[in-house]
């Protein structure tokens, strides 16, 4: 019960990694506000957590709206008395070449992934300051660290989120609030299933030393750590959960004349 007595808000927790994180936080003793643009999905996750003995409620928010960012932070205070942990998880993506990316796609992705995270974090931190305690976790991406084909808009939004995290962590360090990133590599969620065709999956398998996609549970484990007491001295850090993708250089069998191993299935 590493989050016992804590109150958390997680954006985009109606499905995918956000949902799995919310369930993990609840199992560790936190009260969780499930928030999503899809209210039905958020309600269903919250109801299930409560059925299993956890504490949760659901709200509909669009992270791009300032009033919804306030609504989410206020929901935590109204329902559970305070706000300790906020996770900026809601995100959208497309895979389009730089020259084929319309302005509308770029603007929408920046609005949700960057402006939305900015607004929700501002609202959350304003409620944390009086308690001199807080944890903000931003879900960035390996696409914000490497120049992958098709990631011009999405990767740019996540790279900016990493920089925002550094500035926030420095400005808030003396207020008892830590701010960190998790950068997932390729994670097997519905978003990945919708966006990644066979060529994309093969390319990932080839580049990831562990030769597999990560699971939402593996990202949730990292989030529990960053949200816990154990991470109290971790500030402005990006924790990659990527099977070694960012670290890898040449991968081959030394002395072998054979080509590198084929992608795992
Ligand atoms: N799946 C991956 O491989 C991967 C890798 C790296 C980073 N990420 C990031 O992890 C996060 C979660 O990804 P996922 O794969 O679970 O995605 P997902 O699409 O399964 O879930 C995202 C959730 O966010 C919600 N959402 C979308 N726009 C919203 C808005 N404007 N306001 C509120 N909620 C909104 C959606 O309704 C959905 O429930 C995203 O930020 C994504 O960019 C994913």
């Amino acid at each position: 019960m590493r989050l016992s007595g804590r109150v958390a808000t997680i954006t985009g927790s109606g499905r995918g990694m956000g949902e799995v994180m919310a369930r993990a936080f609840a199992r560790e003793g936190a009260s969780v506000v499930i928030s999503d643009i899809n209210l039905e999905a958020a309600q269903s996750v919250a109801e299930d957590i409560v059925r299993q003995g956890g504490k949760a409620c659901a709200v509909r928010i669009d992270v791009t709206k300032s009033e919804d960012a306030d609504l989410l932070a206020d929901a935590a205070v109204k329902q559970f008395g305070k706000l300790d942990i906020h996770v900026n998880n809601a995100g959208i993506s497309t895979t389009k070449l730089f020259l084929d990316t319309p302005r509308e796609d770029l603007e929408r992705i920046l609005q949700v992934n960057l402006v939305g995270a900015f607004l929700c974090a501002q609202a959350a931190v304003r409620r944390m300051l009086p308690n001199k305690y807080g944890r903000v976790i931003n879900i960035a991406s390996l696409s914000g660290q490497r120049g992958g084909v098709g990631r011009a808009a999405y990767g740019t939004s996540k790279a900016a989120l990493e920089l925002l995290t550094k500035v926030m962590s420095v400005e808030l360090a003396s207020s008892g609030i830590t701010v960190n990133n998790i950068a997932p590599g390729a994670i097997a969620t519905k978003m990945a299933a919708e966006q990644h065709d066979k060529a994309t999956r093969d390319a990932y398998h080839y580049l990831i030393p562990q030769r597999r996609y990560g699971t939402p549970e593996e990202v949730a484990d990292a989030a529990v750590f960053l949200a816990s007491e154990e991470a109290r001295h971790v500030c402005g850090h990006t924790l990659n959960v990527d099977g070694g993708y960012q670290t890898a250089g040449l991968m081959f069998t030394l002395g072998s004349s054979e080509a590198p191993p084929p992608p795992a299935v």
Side-chain angles (χ1 to χ4, degrees):
M1 299 293 268
R2 284 184 289 168
L3 305 180
S4 186
R6 297 293 177 203
V7 178
T9 48
I10 305 177
T11 65
S13 42
R15 76 172 202 181
M17 277 191 255
E19 174 187 351
V20 176
M21 256 179 252
R23 291 179 184 278
F25 280 20
R27 276 197 305 276
E28 294 288 345
S31 305
V32 191
V33 183
I34 312 295
S35 67
D36 205 285
I37 202 161
N38 180 343
L39 179 60
E40 219 176 294
Q43 280 171 333
S44 143
V45 173
E47 282 162 16
D48 199 45
I49 289 174
V50 170
R51 249 195 311 276
Q52 293 177 25
K55 291 183 222 99
C57 67
V59 291
R60 184 203 178 273
I61 62 155
D62 177 346
V63 294
T64 65
K65 298 201 158 78
S66 309
E67 60 273 24
D68 286 8
D70 281 324
L71 186 147
L72 173 59
D74 284 339
V77 178
K78 269 189 212 137
Q79 288 287 327
F80 302 117
K82 59 177 179 162
L83 177 55
D84 302 304
I85 302 161
H86 173 71
V87 184
N88 278 314
N89 166 77
I92 57 170
S93 159
T94 58
T95 304
K96 286 185 186 163
L97 294 179
F98 165 64
L99 286 180
D100 296 336
T101 302
R103 180 188 178 121
E104 295 71 38
D105 281 22
L106 173 65
E107 287 181 349
R108 181 73 193 139
I109 286 172
L110 289 174
Q111 277 296 316
V112 175
N113 296 3
L114 180 60
V115 178
F118 196 110
L119 296 174
C120 289
Q122 270 187 336
V125 167
R126 287 186 178 127
R127 273 79 175 173
M128 292 169 179
L129 279 174
N131 304 329
K132 295 202 172 308
Y133 181 91
R135 296 274 189 271
V136 179
I137 301 168
N138 293 324
I139 306 301
S141 173
L142 254 285
S143 296
Q145 300 173 11
R146 303 193 70 173
V149 166
R151 310 312 264 170
Y154 178 76
T156 302
S157 73
K158 295 297 189 176
L161 188 58
E162 281 202 18
L163 196 276
L164 171 64
T165 303
K166 288 183 186 169
V167 175
M168 285 175 63
S169 74
V170 170
E171 291 187 4
L172 297 170
S174 59
S175 310
I177 297 170
T178 67
V179 188
N180 291 287
N181 283 306
I182 293 173
I187 308 296
T189 64
K190 278 191 183 147
M191 180 200 256
E194 287 158 9
Q195 299 275 326
H196 297 185
D197 57 14
K198 184 174 182 315
T200 310
R201 286 197 303 276
D202 284 352
Y204 272 125
H205 285 144
Y206 182 73
L207 286 170
I208 296 171
Q210 286 191 344
R211 303 278 181 209
R212 65 170 177 87
Y213 275 47
T215 65
E217 287 73 16
E218 288 167 330
V219 177
D221 286 343
V224 168
F225 165 67
L226 288 176
S228 74
E229 261 321 289
E230 290 155 350
R232 62 195 167 276
H233 203 49
V234 182
C235 285
H237 182 71
T238 296
L239 178 50
N240 288 353
V241 181
D242 67 349
Y245 174 31
Q246 167 66 349
T247 299
L250 280 178
M251 287 192 287
F252 65 103
T253 308
L254 199 63
S256 164
S257 56
E258 285 175 19
V265 183

